Amino acid sequence: MKLKLTWIPNTLTLGNLTLGFVSMLLVAETNPSHTNSHELYTLAGVFIILAALFDGFDGMAARALNCTSELGADLDSLADLTTFGIAPGFLSYKMFFYDIKLDIFDKPDYFPLGMFIAALYPICAAYRLARFNVAHDPKSFNGLPSPVAGVVIGIFPLVFSVSQVPVWTAVLFFVITALLMVSTLRYSKPQVAIRGLFSWKKLGISIVGLGLLLLAIGFYRWPYVMYGAVGFYVFSGIVSFLIQTIQDYRV
């Protein structure tokens, strides 16, 4: 029965991979010099966000059906690398880094520096996922989870247009987010918090909180609400690190 049910979480994982691949195909159709490309950037970002939902559901399904497997874990890592490493890097390259080139050998725009900046995301995501597969804490993440890092980039075109963000501001934002993946900052696992939140004892509070969240999304533009939630999570690891560092220094 366990072997028969593994197709359910594995299908969700492959859905994650498919959405990441489609996101890259959409970005490939854009021309950075055309203003109407932003619609495709936005759609590509939406696919990355949807893929993150699939990534969350595949693990939940595997645990609920008691059909976790090494194959599923490896498949999940490969899908995450594609969707939350390569796809966000490609999206950022076409949005901001396409024209970042250096003049060397007396030739203008000879060295495509923007390509190497964009490559930082898949590099960090690959290292982050490999490190997770070797050893990980069941209650926390070591470094920013790659799906969260992917969503950070995926939401970007839903909130900002290319013209609103200076190129080197985008580069700094991109590099910091990528490096957070390979950092040693501790991030709590959202699924652990959610399981605790939705316990029977806290069911009433959970329903009220969920209702307020839905109202917030209904009254305000949902990308901003989501970006706020994701940003809070990203900074939670940094703040925890600073607090721990201050405490260690005092001791």
Side-chain angles (χ1 to χ4, degrees):
M1 179 62 69
K2 180 178 179 180
L3 292 176
K4 291 181 180 180
L5 293 177
T6 54
W7 69 269
I8 298 176
N10 289 346
T11 300
L12 291 171
T13 301
L14 292 175
N16 165 16
L17 175 62
T18 302
L19 291 171
F21 181 67
V22 172
S23 174
M24 287 187 284
L25 292 180
L26 289 170
V27 175
E29 293 295 321
T30 64
N31 186 333
S33 62
H34 294 169
T35 56
N36 60 354
S37 294
H38 188 76
E39 295 179 359
L40 290 177
Y41 294 146
T42 301
L43 187 57
V46 169
F47 275 105
I48 293 176
I49 296 169
L50 291 176
L53 295 177
F54 276 73
D55 181 64
F57 288 142
D58 63 1
M60 293 173 59
R63 288 187 293 270
L65 298 173
N66 192 26
C67 57
T68 56
S69 65
E70 292 186 7
L71 174 63
D74 290 341
L75 189 62
D76 184 71
S77 293
L78 293 172
D80 286 356
L81 175 59
T82 301
T83 305
F84 308 121
I86 301 175
F90 189 36
L91 174 60
S92 298
Y93 171 72
K94 292 298 287 285
M95 284 185 67
F96 296 107
F97 311 151
Y98 185 81
D99 290 326
I100 301 179
K101 300 174 183 179
L102 296 179
D103 301 339
I104 58 175
F105 304 125
D106 296 326
K107 296 181 180 179
D109 297 336
Y110 182 79
F111 185 76
L113 180 60
M115 292 184 180
F116 289 89
I117 296 174
L120 186 63
Y121 231 70
I123 289 172
C124 291
Y127 183 85
R128 166 74 178 75
L129 292 165
R131 185 177 65 185
F132 177 83
N133 289 342
V134 171
H136 60 272
D137 189 324
K139 294 184 179 180
S140 63
F141 291 115
N142 192 20
L144 184 66
S146 55
V148 177
V151 169
V152 167
I153 301 300
I155 303 178
F156 208 88
L158 279 72
V159 177
F160 304 104
S161 65
V162 176
S163 59
Q164 289 178 315
V165 182
V167 172
W168 290 106
T169 300
V171 170
L172 183 62
F173 178 83
F174 180 86
V175 170
I176 291 175
T177 308
L179 294 179
L180 283 175
M181 282 192 281
V182 296
S183 70
T184 56
L185 300 183
R186 306 294 272 180
Y187 284 91
S188 61
K189 288 191 173 183
Q191 59 266 38
V192 174
I194 290 173
R195 283 201 297 268
L197 183 64
F198 284 89
S199 63
W200 286 107
K201 294 180 180 179
K202 301 177 181 178
L203 183 59
I205 298 175
S206 302
I207 293 175
V208 173
L210 182 61
L212 292 175
L213 177 61
L214 292 176
L215 285 175
I217 295 175
F219 282 108
Y220 298 97
R221 296 177 63 184
W222 69 268
Y224 292 92
V225 177
M226 181 176 288
Y227 225 3
V230 173
F232 178 81
Y233 181 78
V234 172
F235 280 104
S236 68
I238 300 174
V239 172
S240 297
F241 171 76
L242 293 175
I243 293 174
Q244 186 63 45
T245 301
I246 293 173
Q247 290 177 343
D248 292 343
Y249 178 77
R250 287 181 177 177
V251 173

